[in-house]
Amino acid sequence: MEQPPPTYQVKGAEIRRLRMQAGLSTTELARHAGISRRYLNHLENGYRTRMRPGPYQRLRTAFGLPADSQQLIEPPQDNPPEKR
């Protein structure tokens, strides 16, 4: 069985777009996804860009996206940033 990645790099602008399209406030979406409003706000504004699998799955489910949806995830980079 394939293990989920330790974190998902998410698209904050896409999260905001879908939330607004659904007519939800940040408080409503956060409640549906089981995350804090502040965390959701940080994701949408780009202060946070990564989510652990559990919260990510709950957010995806709150939007009604299928399990195999990649809509909220940034595509993997070809050249990962260099560690210093």
Side-chain angles (χ1 to χ4, degrees), residues 17-71:
R17 187 187 73 75
L18 287 175
R19 176 182 59 78
M20 294 178 81
Q21 182 179 343
L24 297 171
S25 69
T26 52
T27 302
E28 291 168 325
L29 178 57
R31 189 172 352 117
H32 290 300
I35 60 177
S36 73
R37 184 195 58 77
R38 183 176 180 183
Y39 180 50
L40 176 59
N41 187 271
H42 283 192
L43 291 168
E44 286 187 356
N45 291 310
Y47 298 126
R48 305 257 338 231
T49 59
R50 298 195 162 277
M51 295 184 78
R52 291 188 182 263
Y56 170 74
Q57 180 181 8
R58 293 191 306 270
L59 181 63
R60 192 188 66 230
T61 301
F63 281 128
L65 298 173
D68 61 349
S69 174
Q70 300 289 307
Q71 189 171 353

